[in-house]
Amino acid sequence: MFDIGSLLVSLTVVTLILSVLLLLFSATGSEFKGVGEMAFAMLAGSLGSVAAFVASQSQNRFFLYGASLLFVAGFLLIARAVCRLQEAPPKKTVEALCVLTAVVVDGWLILVEFNVGALFVVNSILFALIAARTSWDLLLEKRPELIRGCQIL
């Protein structure tokens, strides 16, 4: 039988290592924008994986709620890192709406109804909206030195 816990532990180890590497790279004073934000996004994702692992082992709803919010925060931090790469201001209104949606709807779905399937649907819609907005911004990049990199991202 497949154990989701071992997958979550593996994901945690990989994202923690990547986060540390990105933080070290960021500390070198390089001119790459957004590396620090990406490191924090990886850290949020790894903490979300740990919380999801604990929730899967203990059936604790609060750990699942925390994991869900950390995954949303990690995805928003990835979008913020891309904005930083483009030297654009963060989309604070979009971020606030996503966080508010996650706090309220995820809280309801986990703590009140305990409907994990609906939780996955809601968070997938949030991730799709964030990714679509970020992709749109990348495709609209006009500076010649960033166009190719933004198209790849």
Side-chain angles (χ1 to χ4, degrees), residues 15 18-23 26 33-45 74-85 134 153:
T15 55
L18 182 58
S19 179
V20 168
L21 289 174
L22 286 171
L23 281 174
S26 174
K33 309 267 190 263
V35 174
E37 289 88 346
M38 189 60 76
F40 285 116
M42 295 292 117
L43 183 61
F75 210 78
L76 285 169
L77 285 169
I78 290 170
R80 185 174 272 224
V82 171
C83 282
R84 180 95 167 96
L85 170 73
T134 304
L153 287 175

Side-chain angles (χ1 to χ4, degrees), residues 3 10-11 13 18-19 22 30-31 46 49-51 55 57 65 77 89 113 115 118 133 139:
D3 179 27
S10 300
L11 179 63
V13 171
L18 182 58
S19 179
L22 286 171
S30 68
E31 295 182 23
S46 66
S49 295
V50 168
Q57 299 300 312
Y65 184 53
L77 285 169
E113 290 190 11
N115 187 343
R133 175 60 196 236
L139 291 173

